[in-house]
């Protein structure tokens, strides 16, 4: 099938050879969440079809692309810093093409500010048009013109975009795009658009190909996977999608992220409990343990509803583990309200938490709310929260000493020289072993726990 990507290859190659000697090289740097990582793999897939090889650094590349994130101010600052640092490279190597894409550029004022601040950027495009990269690149090369293309959300999902995966044992598979929830602090619905689910047979086909290619862990991605299926011709919900994928033959793990507590269901827990391939682990962001704050966040569940979900999941899977996201210092949150977050952490006992100090995103409702607590104060709350989590993690770690875990070996830890792998509950275990185990499952006995950082030995 002609995907339309390779159609541009010869012409782009010809135009690139006017600028470079030999095969043109691209360098793609991705920031932010797994969805962005998955987009980065598609961008690399398209560039591969266009005849690009890949460079290990920006200095060696003929095309540099920053695939950006908009979720926190800090990530934006880093992009501005990193793009700014390329000014001298562009002076030394005027033929190099520099582009910025992703969630950050999907916000028109930010894209325009980028373009104004850095006149040497050749290409700026948003999340909805990455499949048009060949055409944009051609325009830059043929007309020596800057291209800015944003915000043209399509109603159909392109299934023909090639993917160049970063890993050989773990893969990301997009189940759905966008989000309809409009949590008051979050920019995602504005930059990634409304929810759109991929057809189940397309997801099945992709997962089947990955398992046949030897991938050992597949993570289904979506901002809110539990609302998968809205708008599909065939009524398939997320639990049913998992049930179908679990039927794939082979030895692999099937994970998913992110679940929204308002849409997680008993059916989902039951499918997980009965499955062969789905580890008993759920990433279920609670964000705050206080009902008033949750309401201000527009999360549409209460603390009680969240805790009830945890109980249901534990009833279905007594060995289930949880991870979560927490926001520290939401606008108007008081220290007393923040105590409810501590108590919820102690009650649930998460194996790991991703904690963030609130960062205002222009254009969201929360960015307009009064926020009287200073950043220094929030930093103190944050440090307290880490202590509470360390205490919880320490208890969980101790309980695991002496247990046998099936671990997917991911790599060798640079500091200790030990192999590092992940248990079904998504905990990291380090242990001595041969390189040949990387990318394979191994049975490991946990011999020591430092918090939830576990040490073990092969059994
Ligand atoms: S569920 Fe809420 S936090 Fe998550 S992406 Fe959607 S709006 Fe953002």
């Amino acid at each position: 099938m002609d995907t339309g990507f390779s159609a541009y290859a010869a012409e782009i190659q010809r135009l690139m050879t006017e600028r470079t000697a030999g095969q043109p090289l691209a360098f793609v740097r991705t920031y932010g969440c797994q969805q962005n990582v998955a987009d980065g793999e598609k961008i690399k897939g398209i560039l591969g079809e266009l005849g690009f090889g890949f460079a290990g650094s920006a200095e060696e590349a003929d095309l540099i692309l920053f695939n950006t994130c908009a979720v926190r101010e800090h990530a934006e600052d880093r992009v501005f810093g990193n793009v700014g640092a390329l000014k001298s490279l562009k002076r030394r190597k005027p033929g190099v093409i520099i582009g910025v894409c992703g969630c950050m550029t999907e916000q028109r004022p930010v894209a325009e500010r980028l373009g104004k601040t850095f006149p040497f950027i050749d290409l700026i495009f948003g999340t909805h048009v990455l499949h048009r990269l060949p055409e944009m690149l051609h325009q830059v090369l043929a007309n020596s013109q800057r291209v800015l293309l944003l915000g043209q959300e399509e109603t159909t999902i392109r299934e023909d975009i090639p993917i160049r995966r970063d890993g050989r044992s773990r893969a990301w598979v997009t189940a759905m795009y966008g989000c309809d929830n409009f949590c008051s602090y979050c920019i995602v619905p504005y930059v990634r658009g409304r929810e759109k689910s991929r057809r189940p047979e397309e997801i099945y086909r992709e997962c089947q190909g990955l398992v046949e290619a030897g991938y050992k862990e597949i993570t289904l991605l979506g901002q809110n996977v539990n609302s998968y299926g809205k708008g599909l011709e065939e009524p398939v919900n997320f639990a049913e999608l998992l049930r179908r994928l679990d039927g794939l033959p082979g030895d692999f793990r099937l994970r998913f992220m992110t679940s929204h507590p308002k849409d997680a269901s008993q059916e989902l827990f039951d499918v997980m409990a009965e499955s062969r391939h789905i580890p008993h682990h759920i990433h279920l962001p609670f964000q705050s343990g206080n009902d008033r704050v949750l309401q201000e966040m527009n999360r549409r569940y209460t603390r009680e509803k969240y805790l009830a979900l945890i109980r249901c999941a534990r009833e279905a899977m007594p060995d289930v583990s949880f991870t979560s996201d927490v926001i520290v210092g939401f606008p108007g949150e008081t220290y007393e309200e923040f105590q409810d977050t501590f108590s919820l952490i102690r009650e649930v006992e998460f194996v790991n938490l991703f904690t963030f100090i609130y960062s205002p995103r222009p254009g969201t409702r929360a960015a307009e709310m009064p926020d009287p607590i200073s950043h220094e104060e929030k930093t103190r709350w944050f440090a307290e929260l880490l202590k509470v989590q360390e205490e919880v993690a320490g208890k969980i770690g101790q309980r695991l000493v002496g247990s046998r875990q099936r671990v997917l070996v991911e790599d060798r830890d640079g500091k200790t020289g030990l192999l590092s792998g992940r248990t079904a509950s998504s905990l990291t275990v380090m242990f001595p072993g041969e390189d040949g185990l990387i990318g394979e499952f191994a049975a490991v006995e946990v011999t020591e726990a430092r918090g939830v950082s576990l040490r073990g030995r092969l059994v």
Side-chain angles (χ1 to χ4, degrees), residues 368-381:
E368 308 298 318
M369 296 177 184
D371 190 4
I373 306 288
S374 69
H375 190 76
E376 289 66 40
E377 183 65 18
K378 290 181 186 182
T379 308
R380 274 194 288 276
W381 297 6

Side-chain angles (χ1 to χ4, degrees), residues 131-182:
H131 59 282
R132 292 178 61 186
L133 179 56
E135 171 193 336
M136 293 186 272
L137 207 48
H138 184 260
Q139 231 173 301
V140 171
L141 289 166
N143 310 332
S144 303
Q145 235 179 33
R146 172 188 266 184
V147 172
L148 177 92
L149 193 58
L150 311 173
Q152 301 182 1
E153 193 179 347
E154 302 204 3
T155 45
T156 51
I157 293 175
R158 292 284 300 245
E159 289 290 354
D160 57 349
I161 302 180
I163 299 173
R164 188 179 193 272
R165 299 190 191 270
D166 294 334
R168 272 175 295 163
S169 58
R170 300 165 73 212
W172 315 105
V173 172
T174 304
M176 58 186 294
Y177 296 89
C179 185
D180 289 350
N181 287 319
F182 291 92

